[in-house]
């Protein structure tokens, strides 16, 4: 006979909901945390590797041509063979009823739609993506719930500071490192949003069309920290094959300087907050003769930053009588390309006077994956 205490424990265990039950967002987040932490250290994109295992392949994609002219009629729409008449009726009703081709900002003449069941009610919902361009090269993504009577509708407002709680996302193609993923885990649909930089990635998991507000606006997310390693690439030319200019060529010929830089890079560390440190961070170079009086107090000499890169660390590099302000920079988003070619070391011999941009060969690995709180304003 089973002991009463053991029997009670067994019954309690059997009554627990499965890991990916619709209300168990925290359980799924913990599963992803453990899997990302277990990815081999030589994997350059551990989040993508793990999320690829759960990619939702049930969606049906549509490309709707649209005209920029506000008076242009909706183009003729022909139902694709892979879409049921009921789903197609809902799509055309939405396009005609909301005038989506004119109300959604679109620069490239095309509205991208996807049909997939996001709330688990057995009916396909709608994902609408539109490239709106602008300085940030933005893409706007909206998720609309399928209502039997009203068709595709915008979810009820939950928190204006967290548009993703209503299934609204903005992705920047310039000056960002972001990704949006449609996942299906144990038959349940999830949306994952990744936002990253040199120091790490955050991953927010939610179900924007769920009836449970806790799943639409979660209070926790994953924080993935990376270890970093850098070394000088071939100093004779840039990694893209472009030759160095005269100033950079002179620096590339200074073998003592290059050896000093290699030693500094080899000693680079990333602290618990994900901030990189190397070399003499507190020192500074003498102000060169002839410097504009208004710039004598500027340090580091790299000047203002840019949305195209992160400034990961600053230091001083000396070679003989020459002193350089050095900045380790990490190119962002489409500017980064291959993770191995993410970074450069910029040397300045005076305020705003760049002497060289030395290409680096880089490696990164996961140094920690933790569950952290979502900031109060969803930032």
């Amino acid at each position: 006979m089973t002991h009463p205490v053991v029997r009670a424990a067994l019954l309690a265990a059997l009554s627990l909901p499965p890991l990916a039950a619709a209300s168990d967002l925290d359980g799924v987040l913990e599963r992803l945390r453990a899997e990302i932490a277990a990815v081999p250290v030589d994997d350059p994109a551990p989040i993508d590797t793990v999320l690829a295992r759960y990619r939702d392949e049930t969606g049906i994609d549509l490309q709707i041509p649209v005209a920029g002219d506000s008076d242009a009629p909706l183009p003729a729409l022909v139902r694709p063979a892979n879409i049921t008449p009921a789903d197609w009726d809902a799509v055309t009703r939405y396009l005609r009823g909301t005038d989506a081709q004119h109300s959604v900002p679109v620069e490239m003449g095309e509205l991208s739609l996807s049909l997939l069941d996001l709330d688990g009610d057995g009916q396909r919902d709608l994902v609408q993506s539109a490239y709106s361009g602008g300085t940030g090269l933005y893409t706007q993504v909206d998720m609309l719930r399928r209502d039997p009577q009203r068709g595709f509708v915008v979810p009820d407002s939950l928190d204006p500071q967290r548009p993703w709680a209503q299934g609204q996302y903005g992705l920047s193609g310039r000056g960002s490192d972001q990704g949006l993923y449609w996942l299906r885990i144990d038959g349940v649909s999830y949306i994952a949003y990744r936002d990253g930089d040199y120091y790490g990635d955050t991953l927010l998991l939610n179900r924007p069309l769920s009836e449970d507000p806790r799943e639409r606006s979660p209070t926790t997310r994953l924080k993935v920290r990376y270890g970093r390693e850098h070394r000088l690439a071939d100093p004779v030319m840039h990694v893209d094959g472009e030759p160095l200019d005269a100033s950079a060529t002179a620096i590339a010929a200074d073998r003592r300087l290059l050896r000093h830089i290699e030693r500094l890079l080899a000693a680079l560390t990333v602290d618990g907050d994900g901030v990189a440190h190397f070399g003499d961070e507190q020192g500074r170079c003498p102000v060169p003769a002839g410097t504009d009086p208004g710039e004598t107090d500027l340090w580091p000499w790299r000047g203002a930053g840019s949305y195209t890169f992160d400034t990961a660390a600053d230091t001083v590099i000396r070679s003989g009588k020459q002193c350089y302000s050095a900045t380790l920079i990490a190119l962002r988003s489409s500017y980064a390309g291959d993770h191995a070619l993410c970074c450069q070391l910029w040397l300045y011999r005076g305020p705003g006077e760049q002497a060289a941009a030395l290409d680096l060969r880089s490696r990164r690995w996961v140094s920690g994956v933790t569950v952290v709180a979502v900031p109060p304003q969803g930032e």
Side-chain angles (χ1 to χ4, degrees), residues 27 63 69-70 81 90 97 132 148 166 176 180 260 332 336 357 364-365:
Q63 304 298 324
D69 183 358
S70 61
S132 58
Q166 287 84 247
S176 70
L180 193 59
H260 177 54
R332 305 200 73 187
R364 77 174 189 180
W365 60 92

Side-chain angles (χ1 to χ4, degrees), residues 302-324:
R302 56 178 163 79
S306 167
Y307 57 77
T308 63
F309 59 84
D310 294 316
T311 54
D314 294 298
T315 190
V316 170
I317 292 181
R318 299 178 176 87
S319 178
K321 295 182 179 180
Q322 184 63 57
C323 185
Y324 299 98

Side-chain angles (χ1 to χ4, degrees), residues 60-137:
I60 300 175
D61 297 328
L62 296 168
Q63 304 298 324
I64 306 295
V66 296
D69 183 358
S70 61
D71 296 325
L74 189 71
L77 300 175
V78 179
R79 178 175 67 88
N82 61 339
I83 297 181
T84 67
D87 285 345
W88 186 242
D89 286 345
V91 170
T92 56
R93 177 182 176 185
Y94 167 73
L95 291 174
R96 293 192 176 98
T98 62
D99 195 22
Q101 70 162 336
H102 301 142
S103 61
V104 177
V106 178
E107 280 194 0
M108 303 302 288
E110 196 169 66
L111 193 64
S112 298
L113 305 178
S114 295
L115 292 166
L116 69 166
D117 186 1
L118 296 173
D119 57 7
D121 66 355
Q123 297 188 100
R124 292 184 183 275
D125 304 295
L126 185 70
V127 177
Q128 175 178 274
S129 302
Y131 174 74
S132 58
T135 303
L137 304 183

Side-chain angles (χ1 to χ4, degrees), residues 22 67 106 124 146 157 195 205 214 241 244 247 254 273 282 285-286 303 342 356 360 374 376:
V106 178
R124 292 184 183 275
R146 177 80 166 271
S157 179
D195 191 15
L205 189 73
R214 296 171 301 176
L244 303 180
S247 178
D254 188 342
D273 293 325
Q282 302 304 315
C285 297
C342 68
L360 303 178
V374 174

